[in-house]
Amino acid sequence: MMSCVAAFQSPLFTTPSAGVRSVAAPHAQAYYPTRLRGWASGGGKTLLVSSTRIRPIRCLSALSPELKANLDKVVTSQKVILFMKGTKEFPQCGFSNTVVQILKTLNVPFETIDILENEFLRQGLKEYSNWPTFPQLYIDGEFYGGCDIAVGEFIML
């Protein structure tokens, strides 16, 4: 399972007039200072001094125990299942379409699940597979890979 970032340790490079800076990730949000007091120098370094403290970062997992149990059931329910953007009849992404065409060319029976219909499923599946992109191909209940892996294996045939 993917771990979330507890804090952003990189330095903040900004000017006093820049205002709020935020860094967003699917699993965390950090807020940087909003009121800037000015610049301070010492030890050969120039630092930005703030009158506002950095807010704590929330780290949330999209993969609940219930979602994990459901995904375990789904990926083992079919020999080949593809989590993709769109459906096999109407792919909504070039990478998803490529994997669908490979499976059809090989005459592999497969089922698809449209991850665009459910944001919670999409984020949870990224943690479940520890793979950040879609499509995601599962064979015999095991994560096989994405489009790049499927294309590479298809070329090897």
Side-chain angles (χ1 to χ4, degrees), residues 20-70:
V20 176
R21 293 280 179 112
S22 70
V23 177
H27 54 278
Q29 178 77 28
Y31 294 93
Y32 288 105
T34 56
R35 281 182 250 141
L36 305 176
R37 189 178 292 164
W39 299 93
S41 296
K45 296 183 179 181
T46 302
L47 304 172
L48 181 62
V49 180
S50 170
S51 62
T52 306
R53 295 176 61 183
I54 295 175
R55 296 182 196 173
I57 298 170
R58 291 179 22 183
C59 295
L60 302 173
S61 174
L63 186 61
S64 67
E66 297 82 17
L67 180 58
K68 184 183 181 319
N70 285 337

Short mmCIF file of all heavy atoms in Angstrom, two decimals, residues 20-70:
data_model
loop_
_atom_site.label_atom_id
_atom_site.label_comp_id
_atom_site.label_asym_id
_atom_site.label_seq_id
_atom_site.Cartn_x
_atom_site.Cartn_y
_atom_site.Cartn_z
N VAL A 20 -0.41 32.96 -0.73
CA VAL A 20 -0.55 31.56 -0.38
C VAL A 20 0.07 30.68 -1.45
O VAL A 20 -0.14 30.89 -2.63
CB VAL A 20 -2.04 31.18 -0.22
CG1 VAL A 20 -2.20 29.70 0.05
CG2 VAL A 20 -2.66 31.99 0.89
N ARG A 21 0.81 29.69 -1.00
CA ARG A 21 1.31 28.65 -1.88
C ARG A 21 0.77 27.34 -1.35
O ARG A 21 0.85 27.07 -0.16
CB ARG A 21 2.84 28.59 -1.86
CG ARG A 21 3.53 29.78 -2.45
CD ARG A 21 3.51 29.64 -3.98
NE ARG A 21 4.14 30.77 -4.60
CZ ARG A 21 5.29 30.69 -5.25
NH1 ARG A 21 5.93 29.56 -5.35
NH2 ARG A 21 5.78 31.76 -5.82
N SER A 22 0.23 26.50 -2.20
CA SER A 22 -0.22 25.19 -1.74
C SER A 22 0.31 24.12 -2.66
O SER A 22 0.55 24.35 -3.83
CB SER A 22 -1.75 25.13 -1.67
OG SER A 22 -2.30 25.13 -2.96
N VAL A 23 0.50 22.94 -2.09
CA VAL A 23 0.95 21.79 -2.85
C VAL A 23 -0.12 20.73 -2.66
O VAL A 23 -0.43 20.36 -1.53
CB VAL A 23 2.30 21.28 -2.33
CG1 VAL A 23 2.71 20.02 -3.06
CG2 VAL A 23 3.35 22.37 -2.46
N ALA A 24 -0.69 20.25 -3.75
CA ALA A 24 -1.78 19.28 -3.64
C ALA A 24 -1.34 17.94 -4.19
O ALA A 24 -0.65 17.86 -5.19
CB ALA A 24 -3.01 19.77 -4.40
N ALA A 25 -1.72 16.90 -3.53
CA ALA A 25 -1.53 15.54 -3.99
C ALA A 25 -2.85 14.82 -3.73
O ALA A 25 -3.66 15.31 -2.94
CB ALA A 25 -0.39 14.88 -3.22
N PRO A 26 -3.09 13.66 -4.35
CA PRO A 26 -4.36 12.98 -4.12
C PRO A 26 -4.59 12.63 -2.66
O PRO A 26 -5.70 12.47 -2.24
CB PRO A 26 -4.24 11.71 -4.95
CG PRO A 26 -3.11 11.91 -5.88
CD PRO A 26 -2.24 12.98 -5.29
N HIS A 27 -3.51 12.54 -1.89
CA HIS A 27 -3.63 12.07 -0.52
C HIS A 27 -3.19 13.08 0.53
O HIS A 27 -3.20 12.78 1.70
CB HIS A 27 -2.82 10.79 -0.36
CG HIS A 27 -1.40 10.95 -0.81
ND1 HIS A 27 -1.05 10.87 -2.14
CD2 HIS A 27 -0.27 11.24 -0.14
CE1 HIS A 27 0.24 11.08 -2.25
NE2 HIS A 27 0.73 11.30 -1.05
N ALA A 28 -2.75 14.26 0.13
CA ALA A 28 -2.25 15.22 1.13
C ALA A 28 -2.42 16.64 0.62
O ALA A 28 -2.49 16.88 -0.56
CB ALA A 28 -0.78 14.95 1.42
N GLN A 29 -2.47 17.58 1.54
CA GLN A 29 -2.55 19.00 1.19
C GLN A 29 -1.70 19.76 2.19
O GLN A 29 -1.80 19.55 3.38
CB GLN A 29 -3.99 19.48 1.25
CG GLN A 29 -4.17 20.94 0.95
CD GLN A 29 -4.08 21.27 -0.52
OE1 GLN A 29 -4.39 20.44 -1.34
NE2 GLN A 29 -3.65 22.45 -0.85
N ALA A 30 -0.84 20.64 1.70
CA ALA A 30 0.00 21.47 2.58
C ALA A 30 -0.28 22.92 2.28
O ALA A 30 -0.42 23.30 1.13
CB ALA A 30 1.47 21.17 2.35
N TYR A 31 -0.36 23.73 3.31
CA TYR A 31 -0.56 25.15 3.14
C TYR A 31 0.68 25.88 3.64
O TYR A 31 1.14 25.63 4.74
CB TYR A 31 -1.78 25.63 3.91
CG TYR A 31 -3.06 25.07 3.37
CD1 TYR A 31 -3.59 23.91 3.89
CD2 TYR A 31 -3.72 25.69 2.32
CE1 TYR A 31 -4.76 23.38 3.39
CE2 TYR A 31 -4.89 25.17 1.81
CZ TYR A 31 -5.40 24.02 2.35
OH TYR A 31 -6.55 23.50 1.84
N TYR A 32 1.19 26.78 2.83
CA TYR A 32 2.35 27.56 3.21
C TYR A 32 1.89 28.91 3.76
O TYR A 32 0.72 29.25 3.68
CB TYR A 32 3.28 27.72 2.02
CG TYR A 32 3.98 26.44 1.68
CD1 TYR A 32 3.61 25.69 0.58
CD2 TYR A 32 5.02 25.98 2.49
CE1 TYR A 32 4.26 24.51 0.28
CE2 TYR A 32 5.67 24.81 2.20
CZ TYR A 32 5.30 24.07 1.09
OH TYR A 32 5.94 22.91 0.81
N PRO A 33 2.79 29.69 4.31
CA PRO A 33 2.41 30.94 4.98
C PRO A 33 1.60 31.89 4.10
O PRO A 33 1.80 31.96 2.90
CB PRO A 33 3.77 31.56 5.31
CG PRO A 33 4.71 30.42 5.36
CD PRO A 33 4.21 29.43 4.36
N THR A 34 0.67 32.59 4.74
CA THR A 34 -0.15 33.55 4.02
C THR A 34 0.29 34.98 4.30
O THR A 34 0.19 35.82 3.45
CB THR A 34 -1.63 33.40 4.41
OG1 THR A 34 -1.74 33.54 5.82
CG2 THR A 34 -2.17 32.06 3.97
N ARG A 35 0.73 35.28 5.51
CA ARG A 35 1.22 36.62 5.84
C ARG A 35 2.73 36.56 6.01
O ARG A 35 3.23 35.84 6.85
CB ARG A 35 0.57 37.11 7.13
CG ARG A 35 -0.83 37.62 6.89
CD ARG A 35 -1.41 38.14 8.17
NE ARG A 35 -2.44 37.17 8.50
CZ ARG A 35 -2.72 36.75 9.72
NH1 ARG A 35 -2.07 37.20 10.75
NH2 ARG A 35 -3.66 35.88 9.92
N LEU A 36 3.42 37.30 5.20
CA LEU A 36 4.87 37.27 5.24
C LEU A 36 5.41 38.49 5.96
O LEU A 36 5.00 39.61 5.68
CB LEU A 36 5.41 37.19 3.80
CG LEU A 36 4.87 36.02 2.98
CD1 LEU A 36 5.39 36.09 1.57
CD2 LEU A 36 5.23 34.70 3.62
N ARG A 37 6.28 38.25 6.89
CA ARG A 37 6.84 39.33 7.70
C ARG A 37 8.02 39.99 6.98
O ARG A 37 8.24 41.18 7.12
CB ARG A 37 7.28 38.77 9.04
CG ARG A 37 7.68 39.84 10.03
CD ARG A 37 8.07 39.25 11.37
NE ARG A 37 6.89 38.68 12.01
CZ ARG A 37 6.95 37.84 13.02
NH1 ARG A 37 8.12 37.46 13.49
NH2 ARG A 37 5.86 37.36 13.55
N GLY A 38 8.79 39.27 6.22
CA GLY A 38 9.93 39.86 5.53
C GLY A 38 11.05 38.87 5.38
O GLY A 38 10.86 37.68 5.51
N TRP A 39 12.21 39.39 5.12
CA TRP A 39 13.38 38.55 4.89
C TRP A 39 14.33 38.68 6.06
O TRP A 39 14.48 39.73 6.65
CB TRP A 39 14.09 38.99 3.60
CG TRP A 39 13.20 38.86 2.42
CD1 TRP A 39 12.40 39.83 1.88
CD2 TRP A 39 12.99 37.71 1.63
NE1 TRP A 39 11.72 39.36 0.81
CE2 TRP A 39 12.07 38.03 0.61
CE3 TRP A 39 13.48 36.41 1.66
CZ2 TRP A 39 11.63 37.14 -0.34
CZ3 TRP A 39 13.04 35.52 0.69
CH2 TRP A 39 12.13 35.88 -0.27
N ALA A 40 15.00 37.59 6.41
CA ALA A 40 16.00 37.59 7.48
C ALA A 40 17.27 36.96 6.94
O ALA A 40 17.23 36.01 6.18
CB ALA A 40 15.49 36.80 8.68
N SER A 41 18.41 37.52 7.33
CA SER A 41 19.69 36.99 6.88
C SER A 41 20.49 36.52 8.08
O SER A 41 20.41 37.08 9.16
CB SER A 41 20.50 38.06 6.14
OG SER A 41 19.84 38.45 4.97
N GLY A 42 21.26 35.48 7.87
CA GLY A 42 22.12 34.98 8.93
C GLY A 42 22.89 33.77 8.46
O GLY A 42 22.35 32.91 7.78
N GLY A 43 24.14 33.71 8.80
CA GLY A 43 24.95 32.55 8.44
C GLY A 43 25.10 32.38 6.94
O GLY A 43 25.22 31.27 6.45
N GLY A 44 25.03 33.47 6.18
CA GLY A 44 25.20 33.37 4.73
C GLY A 44 23.96 32.94 3.99
O GLY A 44 23.99 32.70 2.79
N LYS A 45 22.81 32.78 4.70
CA LYS A 45 21.57 32.36 4.06
C LYS A 45 20.51 33.42 4.25
O LYS A 45 20.46 34.09 5.27
CB LYS A 45 21.08 31.04 4.65
CG LYS A 45 22.00 29.88 4.40
CD LYS A 45 21.40 28.61 4.95
CE LYS A 45 22.34 27.44 4.68
NZ LYS A 45 21.81 26.19 5.17
N THR A 46 19.65 33.57 3.25
CA THR A 46 18.52 34.47 3.35
C THR A 46 17.27 33.61 3.52
O THR A 46 17.02 32.70 2.74
CB THR A 46 18.39 35.34 2.09
OG1 THR A 46 19.60 36.07 1.93
CG2 THR A 46 17.22 36.29 2.21
N LEU A 47 16.51 33.88 4.54
CA LEU A 47 15.32 33.09 4.85
C LEU A 47 14.08 33.96 4.79
O LEU A 47 14.13 35.15 5.11
CB LEU A 47 15.44 32.48 6.25
CG LEU A 47 16.67 31.62 6.52
CD1 LEU A 47 16.72 31.26 7.99
CD2 LEU A 47 16.62 30.37 5.67
N LEU A 48 12.97 33.38 4.45
CA LEU A 48 11.69 34.05 4.45
C LEU A 48 11.06 33.83 5.82
O LEU A 48 10.91 32.70 6.26
CB LEU A 48 10.80 33.47 3.36
CG LEU A 48 9.42 34.07 3.20
CD1 LEU A 48 9.55 35.54 2.83
CD2 LEU A 48 8.67 33.34 2.11
N VAL A 49 10.73 34.90 6.52
CA VAL A 49 10.15 34.81 7.85
C VAL A 49 8.66 35.04 7.74
O VAL A 49 8.22 35.97 7.07
CB VAL A 49 10.79 35.85 8.80
CG1 VAL A 49 10.18 35.74 10.18
CG2 VAL A 49 12.30 35.65 8.85
N SER A 50 7.88 34.23 8.41
CA SER A 50 6.43 34.30 8.31
C SER A 50 5.82 34.57 9.67
O SER A 50 6.32 34.12 10.69
CB SER A 50 5.89 32.98 7.77
OG SER A 50 4.50 32.95 7.89
N SER A 51 4.70 35.28 9.66
CA SER A 51 3.97 35.48 10.90
C SER A 51 2.86 34.45 11.06
O SER A 51 2.15 34.47 12.05
CB SER A 51 3.38 36.90 10.91
OG SER A 51 2.46 37.04 9.85
N THR A 52 2.70 33.58 10.10
CA THR A 52 1.67 32.55 10.15
C THR A 52 2.33 31.19 10.16
O THR A 52 3.22 30.92 9.38
CB THR A 52 0.74 32.64 8.91
OG1 THR A 52 0.25 33.96 8.81
CG2 THR A 52 -0.40 31.67 9.01
N ARG A 53 1.87 30.31 11.03
CA ARG A 53 2.42 28.97 11.09
C ARG A 53 1.87 28.11 9.97
O ARG A 53 0.75 28.30 9.52
CB ARG A 53 2.10 28.34 12.44
CG ARG A 53 2.78 29.07 13.59
CD ARG A 53 2.38 28.52 14.90
NE ARG A 53 2.77 27.12 14.98
CZ ARG A 53 2.51 26.35 16.00
NH1 ARG A 53 1.86 26.81 17.04
NH2 ARG A 53 2.89 25.09 16.01
N ILE A 54 2.63 27.13 9.57
CA ILE A 54 2.17 26.20 8.54
C ILE A 54 1.13 25.28 9.15
O ILE A 54 1.34 24.72 10.24
CB ILE A 54 3.35 25.39 7.97
CG1 ILE A 54 4.31 26.33 7.25
CG2 ILE A 54 2.85 24.30 7.02
CD1 ILE A 54 5.56 25.65 6.74
N ARG A 55 0.03 25.12 8.47
CA ARG A 55 -1.03 24.24 8.95
C ARG A 55 -0.59 22.78 8.82
O ARG A 55 0.17 22.44 7.94
CB ARG A 55 -2.29 24.44 8.12
CG ARG A 55 -2.89 25.81 8.25
CD ARG A 55 -4.15 25.88 7.44
NE ARG A 55 -4.53 27.26 7.25
CZ ARG A 55 -5.51 27.64 6.48
NH1 ARG A 55 -6.22 26.75 5.82
NH2 ARG A 55 -5.81 28.92 6.35
N PRO A 56 -1.11 21.92 9.68
CA PRO A 56 -0.75 20.50 9.57
C PRO A 56 -1.29 19.90 8.27
O PRO A 56 -2.29 20.35 7.73
CB PRO A 56 -1.42 19.85 10.79
CG PRO A 56 -2.45 20.82 11.23
CD PRO A 56 -2.01 22.17 10.78
N ILE A 57 -0.63 18.88 7.82
CA ILE A 57 -1.01 18.20 6.58
C ILE A 57 -1.86 16.98 6.92
O ILE A 57 -1.48 16.17 7.77
CB ILE A 57 0.24 17.77 5.80
CG1 ILE A 57 1.05 18.99 5.43
CG2 ILE A 57 -0.14 16.98 4.56
CD1 ILE A 57 2.41 18.67 4.88
N ARG A 58 -2.96 16.83 6.22
CA ARG A 58 -3.81 15.67 6.42
C ARG A 58 -3.42 14.60 5.41
O ARG A 58 -3.30 14.86 4.23
CB ARG A 58 -5.28 16.01 6.22
CG ARG A 58 -5.82 16.89 7.28
CD ARG A 58 -7.26 17.24 7.06
NE ARG A 58 -7.93 16.28 6.21
CZ ARG A 58 -9.18 16.39 5.81
NH1 ARG A 58 -9.89 17.41 6.18
NH2 ARG A 58 -9.73 15.49 5.04
N CYS A 59 -3.23 13.39 5.87
CA CYS A 59 -2.92 12.27 4.99
C CYS A 59 -4.05 11.26 5.12
O CYS A 59 -4.30 10.72 6.18
CB CYS A 59 -1.61 11.61 5.38
SG CYS A 59 -0.20 12.69 5.17
N LEU A 60 -4.73 11.03 4.04
CA LEU A 60 -5.86 10.12 4.04
C LEU A 60 -5.62 9.01 3.04
O LEU A 60 -5.09 9.24 1.96
CB LEU A 60 -7.15 10.87 3.66
CG LEU A 60 -7.52 12.04 4.55
CD1 LEU A 60 -8.71 12.78 3.98
CD2 LEU A 60 -7.80 11.58 5.96
N SER A 61 -6.04 7.82 3.37
CA SER A 61 -5.95 6.70 2.46
C SER A 61 -7.30 6.54 1.77
O SER A 61 -8.34 6.55 2.40
CB SER A 61 -5.60 5.43 3.22
OG SER A 61 -5.65 4.32 2.35
N ALA A 62 -7.26 6.39 0.46
CA ALA A 62 -8.50 6.17 -0.29
C ALA A 62 -8.89 4.71 -0.27
O ALA A 62 -10.00 4.36 -0.64
CB ALA A 62 -8.32 6.64 -1.74
N LEU A 63 -7.99 3.84 0.18
CA LEU A 63 -8.25 2.41 0.18
C LEU A 63 -8.75 1.97 1.55
O LEU A 63 -7.98 1.63 2.44
CB LEU A 63 -6.98 1.64 -0.20
CG LEU A 63 -7.14 0.13 -0.39
CD1 LEU A 63 -8.12 -0.16 -1.52
CD2 LEU A 63 -5.80 -0.51 -0.67
N SER A 64 -10.07 2.00 1.71
CA SER A 64 -10.68 1.56 2.96
C SER A 64 -10.67 0.03 3.01
O SER A 64 -10.53 -0.63 1.97
CB SER A 64 -12.11 2.07 3.06
OG SER A 64 -12.91 1.45 2.06
N PRO A 65 -10.83 -0.56 4.18
CA PRO A 65 -10.90 -2.04 4.26
C PRO A 65 -12.04 -2.61 3.43
O PRO A 65 -11.90 -3.68 2.82
CB PRO A 65 -11.12 -2.30 5.75
CG PRO A 65 -10.55 -1.10 6.44
CD PRO A 65 -10.81 0.05 5.51
N GLU A 66 -13.17 -1.89 3.37
CA GLU A 66 -14.30 -2.37 2.57
C GLU A 66 -13.97 -2.35 1.08
O GLU A 66 -14.29 -3.29 0.35
CB GLU A 66 -15.54 -1.50 2.82
CG GLU A 66 -16.06 -1.54 4.24
CD GLU A 66 -15.31 -0.61 5.20
OE1 GLU A 66 -14.60 0.31 4.73
OE2 GLU A 66 -15.42 -0.81 6.42
N LEU A 67 -13.34 -1.28 0.61
CA LEU A 67 -12.96 -1.19 -0.80
C LEU A 67 -11.93 -2.26 -1.14
O LEU A 67 -12.02 -2.89 -2.19
CB LEU A 67 -12.43 0.20 -1.14
CG LEU A 67 -12.00 0.41 -2.59
CD1 LEU A 67 -13.14 0.13 -3.56
CD2 LEU A 67 -11.48 1.82 -2.79
N LYS A 68 -10.98 -2.49 -0.25
CA LYS A 68 -9.97 -3.52 -0.50
C LYS A 68 -10.62 -4.89 -0.63
O LYS A 68 -10.30 -5.66 -1.54
CB LYS A 68 -8.92 -3.55 0.60
CG LYS A 68 -7.81 -4.56 0.30
CD LYS A 68 -6.80 -4.64 1.41
CE LYS A 68 -5.68 -5.61 1.14
NZ LYS A 68 -6.01 -6.87 0.52
N ALA A 69 -11.57 -5.19 0.25
CA ALA A 69 -12.27 -6.48 0.18
C ALA A 69 -13.05 -6.61 -1.12
O ALA A 69 -13.04 -7.68 -1.76
CB ALA A 69 -13.21 -6.63 1.39
N ASN A 70 -13.71 -5.53 -1.54
CA ASN A 70 -14.45 -5.56 -2.80
C ASN A 70 -13.52 -5.73 -3.99
O ASN A 70 -13.82 -6.48 -4.92
CB ASN A 70 -15.30 -4.30 -2.97
CG ASN A 70 -16.52 -4.31 -2.09
OD1 ASN A 70 -17.00 -5.35 -1.66
ND2 ASN A 70 -17.02 -3.13 -1.78
#
